[in-house]
Amino acid sequence: MPREKKNKICSNEYEHEHWAKDRLILGIDEAGRGPLAGPLTVAGVVFPIGYENPEIYDSKALSEKKRERLFEVIKQDALWHKIVNVPPADIDRYNIYRADQMAMDAMARESDALIVLTDAMPLEIPGKTIIPLVKGDQKSISIAAASILAKVTRDRLMKEYDLQYPQYGFAKNKGYPTKQHMTAIEEFGVTPIHRRSYGPVAVVIQKLDLF
């Protein structure tokens, strides 16, 4: 379990700039770009103008218990939120970057917010101002909140998949290529939730096709 980074808060400089002009802001982030299995989860959050909560920060820097608690707080306090799970088949079809970008684009178009902050993902949407921020989940409360919604949702899904495919340790590794996960793929093969276009998975598929 990661240690929480105390005294770390989002600067929210972009929120303050645009909230001062009475503009709503949509923050978007994702969880699960790197795993070999499971969906890519994309989330978006619009807070009321002037919203503050110093606990909301990069989901990776928070404990699971705190993420779970903030998940409910964010959903309750947000003016609008949305969570989308992009299935492995779409990741294989479009590639992870494009699948992520397409999900974020659709989410941004659906929201009424004219200012869109993303965690380093460029978008082009007429009538909206898109601001990609490197490490945005550490700079923007809107992006950080989206990161929490995305991670909690995806982690819960991977725990459910663990019950269906207990050999792979999804409850612990969340689909990332740990030693246990890689050993399980070699021994038990590829499941329907694996990303077949990802290198380690593709290698196993090739072996199975050969023999």
Side-chain angles (χ1 to χ4, degrees):
M1 180 182 298
R3 294 184 62 185
E4 295 182 21
K5 299 180 180 180
K6 296 183 178 180
N7 302 320
K8 287 282 189 178
I9 61 174
C10 296
S11 61
N12 298 331
E13 58 187 288
Y14 296 92
E15 276 88 356
H16 295 155
E17 175 186 350
H18 292 285
W19 280 342
K21 300 173 184 176
D22 203 33
R23 297 170 177 168
L24 290 176
I25 292 173
L26 168 64
I28 308 179
D29 201 0
E30 88 286 315
R33 287 183 65 159
L36 305 180
L40 171 74
T41 304
V42 178
V45 175
V46 178
F47 281 125
I49 289 174
Y51 181 83
E52 300 288 346
N53 186 331
E55 290 191 297
I56 296 175
Y57 190 68
D58 175 5
S59 63
K60 299 182 294 297
L62 306 178
S63 68
E64 181 179 2
K65 182 178 180 180
K66 190 167 188 177
R67 288 195 300 266
E68 289 281 351
R69 177 171 59 79
L70 288 172
F71 182 86
E72 300 302 329
V73 171
I74 291 163
K75 290 198 301 179
Q76 177 178 316
D77 291 352
L79 291 176
W80 184 90
H81 75 275
K82 189 176 182 67
I83 304 169
V84 172
N85 291 303
V86 180
D90 284 351
I91 294 171
D92 291 335
R93 180 180 180 184
Y94 298 109
N95 77 53
I96 187 64
Y97 181 88
R98 183 61 180 145
D100 189 7
Q101 188 176 52
M102 290 170 66
M104 289 190 176
D105 182 273
M107 192 170 290
R109 291 175 187 273
E110 182 176 338
S111 169
D112 290 335
L114 298 181
I115 309 300
V116 181
L117 306 181
T118 72
D119 192 18
M121 176 62 74
L123 303 172
E124 292 186 13
I125 302 175
K128 293 182 183 279
T129 299
I130 314 297
I131 306 174
L133 301 176
V134 176
K135 295 186 177 179
D137 47 12
Q138 298 178 14
K139 300 174 182 177
S140 159
I141 190 174
S142 305
I143 298 177
S147 79
I148 292 170
L149 293 192
K151 182 164 178 55
V152 170
T153 298
R154 189 180 189 283
D155 285 356
R156 289 176 178 178
L157 281 173
M158 296 310 295
K159 289 178 182 178
E160 292 178 11
Y161 283 129
D162 186 69
L163 299 176
Q164 190 172 356
Y165 307 106
Q167 305 96 324
Y168 298 84
F170 290 143
K172 292 184 178 180
N173 61 50
K174 305 301 188 297
Y176 282 89
T178 63
K179 182 177 180 180
Q180 177 199 8
H181 187 184
M182 296 305 300
T183 299
I185 292 175
E186 290 284 349
E187 183 174 355
F188 301 106
V190 175
T191 73
I193 69 164
H194 276 99
R195 302 174 183 178
R196 301 171 73 87
S197 60
Y198 275 41
V201 179
V203 167
V204 173
I205 292 173
Q206 186 177 29
K207 287 182 180 179
L208 292 177
D209 286 344
L210 288 175
F211 297 101

